[in-house]
Amino acid sequence: DADVTQTPRNRITKTGKRIMLECSQTKGHDRMYWYRQDPGLGLRLIYYSFDVKDINKGEISDGYSVSRQAQAKFSLSLESAIPNQTALYFCATSDGTGGITDTQYFGPGTRLTVL
Amino acid sequence: GQQVMQIPQYQHVQEGEDFTTYCNSSTTLSNIQWYKQRPGGHPVFLIQLVKSGEVKKQKRLTFQFGEAKKNSSLHITATQTTDVGTYFCAGYSGYSTLTFGKGTMLLVSP
């Protein structure tokens, strides 16, 4: 969905480097999420934010941090990248008005390789 | 924590054959959502089921939500090559975020 953009789309980095993945959205949604996808493991939630002042850990937050700079921007950082963080990373948004029927809109993904 | 299990992990069919993927939750779900991810793409929302025993159809796709709201299925009739991709179920069960299944990868040979 073009309303959710991620930069960079591909990144190769070395072990120990700090790296930031960025997500921007023009959908006007309050809720934003970072997921990691590995083959055979599906989508696992790293962090989520329900508004600018709200940050929550997901299932696999160790080794990651996030920043919600504005309603439209949500960044994911790897403080010291390691090879097992090689994965496809997705940002997603939802408007939060649906309650339990809240659906998510995903960005195009960032493929990260840590050597 | 909540777990959502999906089977099979992978299925390869000939074009025209039917396909079904099943989703089972360890807890009762408030709702179930289905997403499709094309190869090289991102997950895209397909449909949502909320009511116990609910059945919804989208052309050749039939979605069901179990009576106990702990399982769901997606059935594709007469698959086409355009159906290729990974299908994910995801549900809410009192937690504030969706829990995704691991997905079923569908390959369709012409």
Side-chain angles (χ1 to χ4, degrees):
Chain A
D1 192 319
D3 297 325
V4 184
T5 57
Q6 294 183 233
T7 56
R9 296 293 312 278
N10 290 280
R11 181 70 183 268
I12 300 173
T13 190
K14 294 183 178 180
T15 297
K17 293 291 186 180
R18 184 179 189 275
I19 185 168
M20 179 181 289
L21 308 183
E22 298 186 342
C23 177
S24 295
Q25 52 112 348
T26 59
K27 300 185 76 68
H29 288 173
D30 285 327
R31 299 184 174 191
M32 299 187 73
Y33 310 80
W34 276 104
Y35 290 92
R36 167 178 173 162
Q37 185 175 34
D38 300 276
L41 295 180
L43 293 161
R44 293 184 292 168
L45 184 62
I46 306 172
Y47 271 96
Y48 63 100
S49 169
F50 282 176
D51 63 43
V52 175
K53 297 180 181 179
D54 177 71
I55 299 289
N56 303 281
K57 293 182 177 180
E59 177 188 356
I60 54 164
S61 60
D62 287 349
Y64 302 95
S65 62
V66 291
S67 174
R68 184 80 184 266
Q69 301 95 321
Q71 185 202 39
K73 296 185 182 296
F74 193 35
S75 300
L76 175 71
S77 294
L78 285 67
E79 299 302 325
S80 179
I82 56 176
N84 77 1
Q85 291 177 313
T86 293
L88 182 57
Y89 290 84
F90 286 106
C91 174
T93 74
S94 67
D95 64 12
T97 59
I100 63 168
T101 63
D102 210 23
T103 59
Q104 298 197 0
Y105 300 85
F106 286 81
T110 294
R111 186 166 296 281
L112 176 65
T113 302
V114 183
L115 302 176
Chain B
Q2 177 190 0
Q3 291 187 352
V4 177
M5 293 147 285
Q6 204 172 340
I7 57 170
Q9 184 174 355
Y10 171 84
Q11 188 153 5
H12 184 182
V13 301
Q14 295 293 316
E15 190 171 24
E17 294 180 339
D18 292 355
F19 160 78
T20 304
T21 174
Y22 300 91
C23 184
N24 292 283
S25 171
S26 57
T27 58
T28 301
L29 299 170
S30 300
N31 68 353
I32 191 91
Q33 299 179 3
W34 286 91
Y35 293 77
K36 177 183 179 181
Q37 182 180 20
R38 296 183 184 276
H42 58 276
V44 175
F45 173 76
L46 292 177
I47 206 163
Q48 178 168 253
L49 305 170
V50 179
K51 299 178 182 178
S52 169
E54 189 171 13
V55 178
K56 287 188 175 181
K57 293 189 175 184
Q58 289 181 347
K59 297 183 180 179
R60 295 177 294 103
L61 278 61
T62 301
F63 303 84
Q64 295 187 344
F65 199 12
E67 293 290 342
K69 301 185 74 174
K70 296 182 74 173
N71 58 77
S72 181
S73 65
L74 158 59
H75 179 82
I76 302 178
T77 302
T79 55
Q80 299 176 359
T81 55
T82 54
D83 295 324
V84 166
T86 300
Y87 294 85
F88 293 96
C89 63
Y92 286 101
S93 68
Y95 296 89
S96 55
T97 59
L98 278 176
T99 298
F100 281 83
K102 289 183 169 56
T104 295
M105 181 184 296
L106 173 64
L107 180 62
V108 181
S109 295

